[in-house]
Amino acid sequence: MHELAIATEIAGAVCAKAAGRPVRRVTVRVGALTAVVPEAMRFCFTLAVEGTVADGADLEIEHRPGAGHCGSCGNDVILPDLILLCPCGSADVTVTSGRELQIVSMEVD
Amino acid sequence: MCGTCGCDDKPEVITLERKVLAHNDETARANRERLAARGVLAVNLMSSPGSGKTTLLERTIRDLGPDRPVAVVEGDQQTPLDAERIRRTGCPVVQINTGAGCHLDAEMLGAALDRLAPAAGSLLFVENVGNLICPALFDLGERDRVVILSVTEGADKPLKYPHAFAVAGLVVINKVDLLPYVEFDVAECRRHVSAVNPRAAVVEVSATRGDNLPAWYDWLHQLRAGSAGRDHTS
């Protein structure tokens, strides 16, 4: 359940930045290739912000698909999972998107 | 703020654009610098429960201990049992019990280093909590990560738990002495490791019987020499 640790990090960063102002909404970016389950993170976020200035804030999740670049054929490939295999048969694939795990912004009153 | 009456109607958007794990990553960087300053080579060991991590460590300490200082940080949800096993080898060890936590993080390792104070030039093994999911996300400040997988588990484990395998510099296939009794296709397992991490080295060992352990020790020597593994700075 690493989502709780992640949600706690988000809550801590957001509350520090809010400096006492109530937080209405927090936007995070989560790549498809991270080991983060959005539903679990949403649940944990609700717990992590309880009793803070972000209590009750909405968590908006921007999803980023997995994508890579093949060093053999030069094509960009869609990566539905962490199996780094290009349709051309090469495993020389560099991940270009999908590993994001970022706090984007927040809305405060 | 509302321009008509001055009420705080519209929320203000504040941009953060920072990594969620920025704090952990900064702490890991500090750990890494601290270890490098003492010439300590730290390796983060990850696996499912029961893969033989502690047995591999006991054997490694016995084999390498006479030539160089070895120290261990043990991570488990509960009990000091693993630390007691390591302590019996004569090796300095600190146990971290994470309680409800499912992984070690950089702050926990930092606190363990305060207590352990590994000798200059030592080899430090950090035995992560037995779990192939959560530990993969948390950089501790180690030089490299090792995943241990035993032949009593499925050969398809790298595909089922790709995150841990994707961040490993080495995959150790343990308990090969049991291969005659179990259906485990080593070649298939190696193919699956390559599919999620083409750069990972793979060694097949038996920690109890001692099969092929020099390959594991060679990898550690190469890591110290800088010709194996990779730093995890992100």
Side-chain angles (χ1 to χ4, degrees):
Chain A
M1 200 58 172
H2 51 284
E3 281 84 359
L4 184 57
I6 287 165
T8 306
E9 286 276 345
I10 296 170
V14 161
C15 290
K17 191 82 175 177
R21 297 163 76 181
V23 179
R24 284 191 187 184
R25 179 191 295 268
V26 176
T27 305
V28 296
R29 190 178 291 130
V30 178
L33 304 180
T34 61
V36 173
V37 180
E39 293 76 17
M41 186 160 81
R42 213 180 278 288
F43 173 72
C44 293
F45 178 76
T46 311
L47 299 178
V49 295
E50 238 177 49
T52 72
V53 290
D55 199 339
D58 290 330
L59 182 69
E60 190 170 313
I61 301 176
E62 285 181 9
H63 297 277
R64 282 284 179 277
H69 184 79
C70 176
S72 296
C73 71
N75 284 331
D76 290 326
V77 291
I78 301 288
L79 297 172
D81 49 42
L82 265 181
I83 298 170
L84 307 179
L85 196 62
C86 177
C88 79
S90 169
D92 180 19
V93 175
T94 310
V95 174
T96 53
S97 161
R99 290 204 202 274
E100 300 83 354
L101 188 55
Q102 290 156 328
I103 310 171
V104 180
S105 63
M106 64 184 191
E107 289 180 17
V108 294
D109 280 339
Chain B
M1 188 182 284
C2 165
T4 310
C5 65
C7 72
D8 284 338
D9 199 22
K10 292 245 173 66
E12 184 192 341
V13 177
I14 299 176
T15 304
L16 283 100
E17 284 294 351
R18 51 158 275 181
K19 288 168 76 176
V20 170
L21 296 176
H23 174 67
N24 184 75
D25 291 350
E26 282 158 22
T27 311
R29 205 170 299 128
N31 287 346
R32 187 167 281 118
E33 284 168 9
R34 181 177 174 185
L35 291 163
R38 303 270 299 156
V40 175
L41 178 70
V43 179
N44 179 359
L45 305 176
M46 305 185 291
S47 83
S48 313
S51 66
K53 282 194 298 298
T54 312
T55 303
L56 180 66
L57 279 187
E58 288 171 315
R59 179 79 187 220
T60 303
I61 293 162
R62 277 203 300 274
D63 289 352
L64 300 185
D67 299 322
R68 69 163 65 160
V70 182
V72 173
V73 173
E74 279 287 343
D76 277 303
Q77 281 203 317
Q78 298 290 344
T79 83
L81 295 173
D82 277 358
E84 285 162 9
R85 282 176 63 184
I86 297 296
R87 196 167 289 120
R88 281 197 286 273
T89 66
C91 175
V93 58
V94 162
Q95 175 87 48
I96 303 173
N97 284 134
T98 56
C102 48
H103 58 269
L104 296 181
D105 64 29
E107 212 155 294
M108 292 178 199
L109 180 62
L113 291 175
D114 291 341
R115 289 162 58 200
L116 186 62
S122 61
L123 183 55
L124 174 68
F125 293 107
V126 181
E127 187 178 331
N128 219 312
V129 178
N131 173 353
L132 275 180
I133 306 168
C134 313
L137 268 82
F138 294 84
D139 183 10
L140 305 179
E142 70 279 328
R143 174 79 72 83
D144 210 346
R145 304 181 194 184
V146 174
V147 170
I148 299 158
L149 162 78
S150 62
V151 304
T152 52
E153 305 167 44
D156 53 3
K157 210 145 201 179
L159 300 182
K160 288 179 172 171
Y161 300 92
H163 297 279
F165 287 89
V167 296
L170 175 73
V171 174
V172 175
I173 301 178
N174 192 21
K175 307 189 189 180
V176 295
D177 52 310
L178 298 180
L179 277 174
Y181 314 106
V182 293
E183 284 189 19
F184 184 95
D185 186 332
V186 174
E188 182 195 346
C189 185
R190 281 177 169 270
R191 274 198 304 279
H192 294 329
V193 171
S194 300
V196 296
N197 184 350
R199 297 169 306 279
V202 181
V203 295
E204 299 154 29
V205 307
S206 163
T208 50
R209 210 170 60 183
D211 301 28
N212 208 26
L213 286 174
W216 155 237
Y217 302 145
D218 280 349
W219 185 84
L220 290 169
H221 288 309
Q222 286 167 27
L223 189 63
R224 185 179 284 285
S227 55
R230 62 202 169 97
D231 278 323
H232 300 278
T233 49
S234 63

Short mmCIF file of all heavy atoms in Angstrom, two decimals, chain B residues 153-206:
data_model
loop_
_atom_site.label_atom_id
_atom_site.label_comp_id
_atom_site.label_asym_id
_atom_site.label_seq_id
_atom_site.Cartn_x
_atom_site.Cartn_y
_atom_site.Cartn_z
N GLU B 153 9.21 -20.11 -6.86
CA GLU B 153 8.21 -19.15 -7.31
C GLU B 153 8.00 -19.37 -8.81
O GLU B 153 8.67 -20.19 -9.42
CB GLU B 153 8.71 -17.72 -7.03
CG GLU B 153 9.08 -17.50 -5.57
CD GLU B 153 9.86 -16.20 -5.35
OE1 GLU B 153 9.47 -15.18 -5.90
OE2 GLU B 153 10.87 -16.24 -4.63
N GLY B 154 7.12 -18.63 -9.43
CA GLY B 154 6.87 -18.81 -10.86
C GLY B 154 7.95 -18.14 -11.70
O GLY B 154 8.48 -17.10 -11.33
N ALA B 155 8.26 -18.76 -12.84
CA ALA B 155 9.24 -18.18 -13.77
C ALA B 155 8.69 -16.90 -14.41
O ALA B 155 9.43 -16.12 -14.99
CB ALA B 155 9.60 -19.19 -14.84
N ASP B 156 7.36 -16.72 -14.29
CA ASP B 156 6.74 -15.53 -14.90
C ASP B 156 6.69 -14.32 -13.96
O ASP B 156 6.09 -13.31 -14.26
CB ASP B 156 5.32 -15.87 -15.37
CG ASP B 156 4.47 -16.49 -14.27
OD1 ASP B 156 4.96 -16.60 -13.12
OD2 ASP B 156 3.32 -16.87 -14.56
N LYS B 157 7.33 -14.45 -12.81
CA LYS B 157 7.28 -13.36 -11.81
C LYS B 157 7.76 -12.00 -12.36
O LYS B 157 7.18 -10.97 -12.03
CB LYS B 157 8.11 -13.74 -10.59
CG LYS B 157 7.56 -13.10 -9.34
CD LYS B 157 7.70 -14.00 -8.14
CE LYS B 157 6.73 -13.61 -7.07
NZ LYS B 157 6.82 -14.47 -5.90
N PRO B 158 8.81 -11.98 -13.21
CA PRO B 158 9.23 -10.68 -13.74
C PRO B 158 8.11 -9.98 -14.52
O PRO B 158 8.03 -8.75 -14.51
CB PRO B 158 10.39 -11.03 -14.67
CG PRO B 158 10.93 -12.30 -14.13
CD PRO B 158 9.73 -13.06 -13.62
N LEU B 159 7.23 -10.75 -15.17
CA LEU B 159 6.13 -10.13 -15.90
C LEU B 159 5.01 -9.69 -14.97
O LEU B 159 4.35 -8.69 -15.19
CB LEU B 159 5.55 -11.12 -16.93
CG LEU B 159 6.51 -11.62 -18.00
CD1 LEU B 159 5.78 -12.54 -18.97
CD2 LEU B 159 7.14 -10.45 -18.76
N LYS B 160 4.83 -10.46 -13.88
CA LYS B 160 3.75 -10.13 -12.94
C LYS B 160 4.10 -8.94 -12.07
O LYS B 160 3.22 -8.19 -11.65
CB LYS B 160 3.46 -11.34 -12.05
CG LYS B 160 2.76 -12.47 -12.78
CD LYS B 160 2.54 -13.61 -11.81
CE LYS B 160 1.67 -14.69 -12.42
NZ LYS B 160 1.64 -15.89 -11.55
N TYR B 161 5.37 -8.79 -11.75
CA TYR B 161 5.82 -7.68 -10.89
C TYR B 161 6.92 -6.91 -11.59
O TYR B 161 8.07 -6.89 -11.13
CB TYR B 161 6.30 -8.23 -9.54
CG TYR B 161 5.20 -8.96 -8.80
CD1 TYR B 161 5.04 -10.33 -8.93
CD2 TYR B 161 4.30 -8.25 -8.01
CE1 TYR B 161 4.00 -10.99 -8.30
CE2 TYR B 161 3.26 -8.91 -7.37
CZ TYR B 161 3.12 -10.27 -7.52
OH TYR B 161 2.09 -10.92 -6.88
N PRO B 162 6.59 -6.27 -12.72
CA PRO B 162 7.65 -5.70 -13.57
C PRO B 162 8.39 -4.52 -12.94
O PRO B 162 9.55 -4.29 -13.27
CB PRO B 162 6.89 -5.26 -14.82
CG PRO B 162 5.48 -5.06 -14.38
CD PRO B 162 5.25 -6.07 -13.30
N HIS B 163 7.74 -3.79 -12.03
CA HIS B 163 8.37 -2.57 -11.52
C HIS B 163 9.67 -2.86 -10.78
O HIS B 163 10.67 -2.18 -10.97
CB HIS B 163 7.40 -1.79 -10.64
CG HIS B 163 6.20 -1.34 -11.40
ND1 HIS B 163 6.21 -0.23 -12.18
CD2 HIS B 163 4.97 -1.90 -11.54
CE1 HIS B 163 5.02 -0.09 -12.76
NE2 HIS B 163 4.26 -1.09 -12.39
N ALA B 164 9.65 -3.86 -9.92
CA ALA B 164 10.86 -4.19 -9.16
C ALA B 164 11.96 -4.67 -10.11
O ALA B 164 13.12 -4.26 -9.99
CB ALA B 164 10.55 -5.26 -8.13
N PHE B 165 11.59 -5.52 -11.07
CA PHE B 165 12.60 -6.04 -11.99
C PHE B 165 13.15 -4.94 -12.90
O PHE B 165 14.31 -4.98 -13.30
CB PHE B 165 12.02 -7.20 -12.81
CG PHE B 165 11.83 -8.45 -12.01
CD1 PHE B 165 10.66 -8.70 -11.32
CD2 PHE B 165 12.85 -9.38 -11.90
CE1 PHE B 165 10.48 -9.83 -10.54
CE2 PHE B 165 12.70 -10.54 -11.14
CZ PHE B 165 11.52 -10.76 -10.46
N ALA B 166 12.30 -3.97 -13.22
CA ALA B 166 12.72 -2.90 -14.14
C ALA B 166 13.78 -1.99 -13.53
O ALA B 166 14.54 -1.37 -14.26
CB ALA B 166 11.51 -2.06 -14.55
N VAL B 167 13.84 -1.92 -12.20
CA VAL B 167 14.82 -1.02 -11.57
C VAL B 167 16.03 -1.77 -11.01
O VAL B 167 16.88 -1.17 -10.35
CB VAL B 167 14.18 -0.17 -10.43
CG1 VAL B 167 13.10 0.75 -10.99
CG2 VAL B 167 13.60 -1.06 -9.33
N ALA B 168 16.12 -3.07 -11.29
CA ALA B 168 17.22 -3.87 -10.72
C ALA B 168 18.42 -3.89 -11.65
O ALA B 168 18.28 -3.97 -12.87
CB ALA B 168 16.74 -5.30 -10.47
N GLY B 169 19.62 -3.82 -11.06
CA GLY B 169 20.83 -4.00 -11.83
C GLY B 169 21.17 -5.48 -11.97
O GLY B 169 21.87 -5.89 -12.89
N LEU B 170 20.69 -6.28 -11.01
CA LEU B 170 20.97 -7.71 -11.01
C LEU B 170 19.74 -8.47 -10.52
O LEU B 170 19.06 -8.05 -9.59
CB LEU B 170 22.14 -8.02 -10.06
CG LEU B 170 22.48 -9.51 -9.88
CD1 LEU B 170 23.15 -10.07 -11.12
CD2 LEU B 170 23.37 -9.73 -8.66
N VAL B 171 19.47 -9.60 -11.18
CA VAL B 171 18.45 -10.52 -10.71
C VAL B 171 19.16 -11.80 -10.29
O VAL B 171 19.91 -12.40 -11.07
CB VAL B 171 17.40 -10.82 -11.81
CG1 VAL B 171 16.42 -11.89 -11.34
CG2 VAL B 171 16.65 -9.54 -12.18
N VAL B 172 18.95 -12.20 -9.03
CA VAL B 172 19.53 -13.44 -8.52
C VAL B 172 18.43 -14.50 -8.51
O VAL B 172 17.40 -14.32 -7.87
CB VAL B 172 20.07 -13.25 -7.09
CG1 VAL B 172 20.56 -14.58 -6.51
CG2 VAL B 172 21.19 -12.22 -7.07
N ILE B 173 18.63 -15.58 -9.27
CA ILE B 173 17.70 -16.71 -9.22
C ILE B 173 18.26 -17.69 -8.19
O ILE B 173 19.30 -18.30 -8.41
CB ILE B 173 17.53 -17.37 -10.61
CG1 ILE B 173 17.02 -16.33 -11.63
CG2 ILE B 173 16.57 -18.56 -10.52
CD1 ILE B 173 16.88 -16.86 -13.05
N ASN B 174 17.55 -17.79 -7.05
CA ASN B 174 18.07 -18.56 -5.91
C ASN B 174 17.41 -19.94 -5.82
O ASN B 174 16.41 -20.20 -6.46
CB ASN B 174 17.81 -17.75 -4.62
CG ASN B 174 18.54 -18.31 -3.42
OD1 ASN B 174 19.54 -19.04 -3.56
ND2 ASN B 174 18.07 -17.99 -2.22
N LYS B 175 17.99 -20.79 -5.00
CA LYS B 175 17.49 -22.15 -4.71
C LYS B 175 17.57 -23.06 -5.93
O LYS B 175 16.70 -23.91 -6.14
CB LYS B 175 16.05 -22.11 -4.17
CG LYS B 175 15.85 -21.20 -2.97
CD LYS B 175 14.46 -21.35 -2.34
CE LYS B 175 14.23 -20.27 -1.29
NZ LYS B 175 12.94 -20.34 -0.63
N VAL B 176 18.61 -22.89 -6.77
CA VAL B 176 18.71 -23.75 -7.96
C VAL B 176 18.96 -25.22 -7.60
O VAL B 176 18.79 -26.10 -8.43
CB VAL B 176 19.79 -23.27 -8.96
CG1 VAL B 176 19.44 -21.90 -9.54
CG2 VAL B 176 21.17 -23.24 -8.32
N ASP B 177 19.34 -25.47 -6.34
CA ASP B 177 19.49 -26.87 -5.89
C ASP B 177 18.13 -27.59 -5.92
O ASP B 177 18.08 -28.82 -5.93
CB ASP B 177 20.09 -26.93 -4.47
CG ASP B 177 19.35 -26.04 -3.48
OD1 ASP B 177 19.13 -24.86 -3.78
OD2 ASP B 177 18.99 -26.55 -2.40
N LEU B 178 17.03 -26.82 -5.94
CA LEU B 178 15.69 -27.44 -5.95
C LEU B 178 15.16 -27.64 -7.37
O LEU B 178 14.05 -28.16 -7.54
CB LEU B 178 14.70 -26.57 -5.15
CG LEU B 178 15.03 -26.38 -3.66
CD1 LEU B 178 13.98 -25.49 -3.00
CD2 LEU B 178 15.11 -27.73 -2.94
N LEU B 179 15.93 -27.25 -8.38
CA LEU B 179 15.44 -27.35 -9.76
C LEU B 179 14.96 -28.76 -10.16
O LEU B 179 13.98 -28.87 -10.91
CB LEU B 179 16.50 -26.85 -10.75
CG LEU B 179 16.55 -25.32 -10.94
CD1 LEU B 179 17.73 -24.92 -11.81
CD2 LEU B 179 15.24 -24.80 -11.54
N PRO B 180 15.62 -29.84 -9.68
CA PRO B 180 15.13 -31.17 -10.07
C PRO B 180 13.73 -31.47 -9.55
O PRO B 180 13.07 -32.38 -10.04
CB PRO B 180 16.15 -32.13 -9.42
CG PRO B 180 17.35 -31.31 -9.17
CD PRO B 180 16.86 -29.92 -8.90
N TYR B 181 13.26 -30.72 -8.56
CA TYR B 181 11.99 -31.06 -7.90
C TYR B 181 10.85 -30.11 -8.25
O TYR B 181 9.73 -30.31 -7.80
CB TYR B 181 12.17 -31.07 -6.38
CG TYR B 181 13.41 -31.81 -5.95
CD1 TYR B 181 14.53 -31.14 -5.49
CD2 TYR B 181 13.46 -33.21 -6.05
CE1 TYR B 181 15.67 -31.81 -5.13
CE2 TYR B 181 14.60 -33.88 -5.69
CZ TYR B 181 15.71 -33.18 -5.23
OH TYR B 181 16.84 -33.86 -4.89
N VAL B 182 11.15 -29.04 -8.96
CA VAL B 182 10.10 -28.06 -9.26
C VAL B 182 10.06 -27.79 -10.77
O VAL B 182 11.04 -28.03 -11.48
CB VAL B 182 10.34 -26.72 -8.51
CG1 VAL B 182 10.19 -26.89 -7.03
CG2 VAL B 182 11.70 -26.12 -8.85
N GLU B 183 8.92 -27.30 -11.22
CA GLU B 183 8.82 -26.94 -12.64
C GLU B 183 9.15 -25.47 -12.77
O GLU B 183 8.30 -24.60 -12.59
CB GLU B 183 7.40 -27.20 -13.13
CG GLU B 183 7.14 -28.68 -13.35
CD GLU B 183 5.81 -28.93 -14.05
OE1 GLU B 183 5.28 -28.00 -14.68
OE2 GLU B 183 5.33 -30.06 -13.94
N PHE B 184 10.40 -25.19 -13.03
CA PHE B 184 10.83 -23.80 -13.18
C PHE B 184 11.79 -23.76 -14.37
O PHE B 184 12.84 -24.40 -14.35
CB PHE B 184 11.55 -23.31 -11.91
CG PHE B 184 11.94 -21.86 -11.94
CD1 PHE B 184 11.11 -20.88 -11.38
CD2 PHE B 184 13.13 -21.45 -12.53
CE1 PHE B 184 11.48 -19.53 -11.41
CE2 PHE B 184 13.50 -20.11 -12.55
CZ PHE B 184 12.67 -19.15 -11.99
N ASP B 185 11.40 -23.02 -15.40
CA ASP B 185 12.19 -22.95 -16.62
C ASP B 185 13.10 -21.72 -16.52
O ASP B 185 12.66 -20.57 -16.66
CB ASP B 185 11.24 -22.84 -17.82
CG ASP B 185 11.99 -22.90 -19.14
OD1 ASP B 185 13.18 -22.49 -19.18
OD2 ASP B 185 11.38 -23.34 -20.13
N VAL B 186 14.39 -21.97 -16.25
CA VAL B 186 15.34 -20.86 -16.03
C VAL B 186 15.46 -19.99 -17.29
O VAL B 186 15.47 -18.75 -17.20
CB VAL B 186 16.73 -21.41 -15.63
CG1 VAL B 186 17.74 -20.28 -15.55
CG2 VAL B 186 16.64 -22.11 -14.28
N ALA B 187 15.50 -20.63 -18.47
CA ALA B 187 15.64 -19.86 -19.72
C ALA B 187 14.43 -18.96 -19.92
O ALA B 187 14.57 -17.79 -20.33
CB ALA B 187 15.80 -20.82 -20.90
N GLU B 188 13.24 -19.49 -19.59
CA GLU B 188 12.03 -18.68 -19.74
C GLU B 188 12.08 -17.49 -18.78
O GLU B 188 11.74 -16.36 -19.14
CB GLU B 188 10.81 -19.56 -19.42
CG GLU B 188 9.48 -18.85 -19.58
CD GLU B 188 8.33 -19.60 -18.91
OE1 GLU B 188 8.51 -20.79 -18.56
OE2 GLU B 188 7.27 -18.99 -18.72
N CYS B 189 12.52 -17.74 -17.54
CA CYS B 189 12.61 -16.67 -16.56
C CYS B 189 13.57 -15.58 -17.03
O CYS B 189 13.29 -14.39 -16.94
CB CYS B 189 13.05 -17.23 -15.21
SG CYS B 189 13.05 -16.00 -13.90
N ARG B 190 14.72 -16.00 -17.59
CA ARG B 190 15.69 -15.04 -18.11
C ARG B 190 15.09 -14.20 -19.24
O ARG B 190 15.32 -13.00 -19.31
CB ARG B 190 16.94 -15.78 -18.62
CG ARG B 190 17.90 -16.21 -17.51
CD ARG B 190 19.05 -17.00 -18.11
NE ARG B 190 20.12 -17.22 -17.15
CZ ARG B 190 21.16 -16.39 -16.97
NH1 ARG B 190 21.26 -15.30 -17.69
NH2 ARG B 190 22.08 -16.67 -16.06
N ARG B 191 14.29 -14.85 -20.08
CA ARG B 191 13.63 -14.10 -21.18
C ARG B 191 12.68 -13.05 -20.60
O ARG B 191 12.62 -11.92 -21.09
CB ARG B 191 12.83 -15.05 -22.08
CG ARG B 191 13.65 -15.71 -23.19
CD ARG B 191 12.74 -16.26 -24.29
NE ARG B 191 11.74 -17.20 -23.80
CZ ARG B 191 11.97 -18.49 -23.53
NH1 ARG B 191 13.18 -18.98 -23.71
NH2 ARG B 191 11.01 -19.27 -23.10
N HIS B 192 11.96 -13.41 -19.56
CA HIS B 192 11.01 -12.46 -18.96
C HIS B 192 11.74 -11.30 -18.29
O HIS B 192 11.28 -10.16 -18.33
CB HIS B 192 10.11 -13.18 -17.95
CG HIS B 192 9.20 -14.19 -18.56
ND1 HIS B 192 8.70 -14.05 -19.84
CD2 HIS B 192 8.69 -15.35 -18.08
CE1 HIS B 192 7.92 -15.09 -20.12
NE2 HIS B 192 7.90 -15.90 -19.07
N VAL B 193 12.89 -11.59 -17.67
CA VAL B 193 13.68 -10.50 -17.07
C VAL B 193 14.11 -9.53 -18.18
O VAL B 193 13.95 -8.32 -18.06
CB VAL B 193 14.92 -11.05 -16.33
CG1 VAL B 193 15.84 -9.90 -15.92
CG2 VAL B 193 14.51 -11.84 -15.09
N SER B 194 14.60 -10.08 -19.30
CA SER B 194 15.04 -9.23 -20.41
C SER B 194 13.90 -8.39 -20.96
O SER B 194 14.11 -7.26 -21.39
CB SER B 194 15.59 -10.07 -21.57
OG SER B 194 16.67 -10.81 -21.14
N ALA B 195 12.68 -8.95 -20.95
CA ALA B 195 11.54 -8.23 -21.52
C ALA B 195 11.23 -6.96 -20.73
O ALA B 195 10.83 -5.96 -21.30
CB ALA B 195 10.31 -9.13 -21.55
N VAL B 196 11.41 -7.00 -19.42
CA VAL B 196 11.11 -5.80 -18.63
C VAL B 196 12.37 -4.99 -18.31
O VAL B 196 12.28 -3.83 -17.95
CB VAL B 196 10.36 -6.12 -17.30
CG1 VAL B 196 9.01 -6.72 -17.58
CG2 VAL B 196 11.17 -7.02 -16.40
N ASN B 197 13.54 -5.60 -18.47
CA ASN B 197 14.78 -4.90 -18.16
C ASN B 197 15.96 -5.52 -18.92
O ASN B 197 16.66 -6.39 -18.38
CB ASN B 197 15.03 -4.95 -16.64
CG ASN B 197 16.25 -4.16 -16.22
OD1 ASN B 197 17.04 -3.71 -17.06
ND2 ASN B 197 16.41 -3.98 -14.93
N PRO B 198 16.17 -5.08 -20.15
CA PRO B 198 17.23 -5.68 -20.98
C PRO B 198 18.63 -5.48 -20.40
O PRO B 198 19.55 -6.21 -20.76
CB PRO B 198 17.10 -4.94 -22.32
CG PRO B 198 15.79 -4.22 -22.29
CD PRO B 198 15.43 -4.01 -20.85
N ARG B 199 18.80 -4.52 -19.49
CA ARG B 199 20.13 -4.22 -18.95
C ARG B 199 20.49 -5.06 -17.73
O ARG B 199 21.65 -5.08 -17.31
CB ARG B 199 20.23 -2.73 -18.57
CG ARG B 199 20.08 -1.77 -19.72
CD ARG B 199 19.91 -0.35 -19.22
NE ARG B 199 18.80 -0.28 -18.26
CZ ARG B 199 17.52 -0.21 -18.62
NH1 ARG B 199 17.18 -0.23 -19.89
NH2 ARG B 199 16.56 -0.16 -17.72
N ALA B 200 19.51 -5.72 -17.13
CA ALA B 200 19.78 -6.44 -15.88
C ALA B 200 20.67 -7.66 -16.12
O ALA B 200 20.46 -8.41 -17.07
CB ALA B 200 18.46 -6.86 -15.24
N ALA B 201 21.63 -7.85 -15.25
CA ALA B 201 22.41 -9.09 -15.25
C ALA B 201 21.61 -10.15 -14.48
O ALA B 201 20.77 -9.81 -13.65
CB ALA B 201 23.75 -8.85 -14.58
N VAL B 202 21.84 -11.42 -14.78
CA VAL B 202 21.13 -12.50 -14.09
C VAL B 202 22.16 -13.54 -13.64
O VAL B 202 23.03 -13.93 -14.42
CB VAL B 202 20.09 -13.18 -15.01
CG1 VAL B 202 19.36 -14.30 -14.27
CG2 VAL B 202 19.08 -12.17 -15.56
N VAL B 203 22.08 -13.95 -12.37
CA VAL B 203 22.93 -15.07 -11.90
C VAL B 203 22.04 -16.11 -11.24
O VAL B 203 21.02 -15.78 -10.64
CB VAL B 203 24.04 -14.62 -10.91
CG1 VAL B 203 25.03 -13.69 -11.59
CG2 VAL B 203 23.46 -13.98 -9.66
N GLU B 204 22.42 -17.37 -11.40
CA GLU B 204 21.66 -18.48 -10.81
C GLU B 204 22.50 -19.06 -9.68
O GLU B 204 23.63 -19.47 -9.92
CB GLU B 204 21.41 -19.56 -11.87
CG GLU B 204 20.61 -19.07 -13.06
CD GLU B 204 20.89 -19.88 -14.31
OE1 GLU B 204 21.21 -21.08 -14.20
OE2 GLU B 204 20.80 -19.30 -15.41
N VAL B 205 21.95 -19.08 -8.47
CA VAL B 205 22.73 -19.54 -7.32
C VAL B 205 21.89 -20.44 -6.41
O VAL B 205 20.66 -20.48 -6.51
CB VAL B 205 23.27 -18.36 -6.46
CG1 VAL B 205 24.02 -17.35 -7.31
CG2 VAL B 205 22.14 -17.68 -5.70
N SER B 206 22.58 -21.14 -5.52
CA SER B 206 21.93 -21.76 -4.37
C SER B 206 22.65 -21.23 -3.14
O SER B 206 23.82 -21.55 -2.91
CB SER B 206 22.03 -23.28 -4.43
OG SER B 206 21.74 -23.80 -3.14
#
